[in-house]
Amino acid sequence: EADRLELGRHRVHLVVEEYWNTAEVLIDVVPAGAPFFVSDVDGTLTTSENAEAWDFLLGTLPDPHPFAAEALSLLASKGYRPMYITARPEWLDRRTREFVAVHGFPPGLIHTTLTYTGGTGDTAAAYKTEELAMLAGKGLVPSWLFGNKDSDAKAFDTAGVPPDHR
């Protein structure tokens, strides 16, 4: 009980002594029922579903949809916490964080798959369904969901969010 983190955002710095590798972890501790939204990234925030693949090869970041950052920032300004759930592979985590920051999206938690290849179609739907179920198991159901693919809609159908909020 004494080691419990208080409500709020906590930055934890990790060090692997043997190799002196470091990592930073952000932990958001929120009460059950806290208002938040979830957005997909590729094709939802980027201008096309495959923009990241091309831009990764070119060493640039994808362009965002016009006004997407402003829309999500408006929700954040009203007290909704941002969360981005993408079926991108884990090794694109840093580029995803950079995309969010550079294009002015509100900072929030970013979950990628833990796989090397990421997921599309049914694999992406299953991953996002599991992520949303994990949140629901902690008493957290998003107020708003944003996506652009059938796989997003399939995952959102199981999240308990009214259709007019997704």
Side-chain angles (χ1 to χ4, degrees):
E1 201 51 41
D3 292 333
R4 258 181 206 252
L5 295 173
E6 295 180 17
L7 292 178
R9 179 167 282 175
H10 305 274
R11 176 171 281 150
V12 179
H13 190 76
L14 307 170
V15 178
V16 179
E17 278 190 67
E18 184 177 347
Y19 304 106
W20 293 105
N21 293 339
T22 62
E24 252 185 15
V25 177
L26 291 178
I27 300 172
D28 275 348
V29 179
V30 299
F36 72 105
F37 65 84
V38 169
S39 180
D40 172 50
V41 176
D42 292 307
T44 302
L45 303 180
T46 65
T47 55
S48 78
E49 191 68 23
N50 298 315
E52 174 59 20
W54 291 110
D55 285 310
F56 176 78
L57 294 173
L58 297 172
T60 60
L61 289 174
D63 290 325
H65 278 294
F67 306 108
E70 290 85 348
L72 296 187
S73 293
L74 181 61
L75 278 176
S77 75
K78 294 181 182 287
Y80 295 95
R81 290 172 170 87
M83 183 172 189
Y84 305 92
I85 298 178
T86 174
R88 287 179 172 190
E90 181 275 332
W91 55 271
L92 284 175
D93 175 70
R94 287 187 185 187
R95 282 185 55 86
T96 306
R97 292 182 189 290
E98 185 180 7
F99 169 82
V100 167
V102 165
H103 292 300
F105 288 96
L109 298 179
I110 296 175
H111 283 204
T112 63
T113 67
L114 297 177
T115 66
Y116 187 75
T117 59
T120 59
D122 288 342
T123 305
Y127 162 70
K128 291 176 184 179
T129 297
E130 289 171 13
E131 288 288 300
L132 293 168
M134 178 267 306
L135 292 167
K138 297 177 184 299
L140 298 168
V141 175
S143 302
W144 296 94
L145 293 165
F146 300 97
N148 70 308
K149 300 286 287 180
D150 289 343
S151 58
D152 296 323
K154 188 174 180 180
F156 295 171
D157 281 345
T158 66
V161 176
D164 62 341
H165 282 229
R166 45 187 157 124

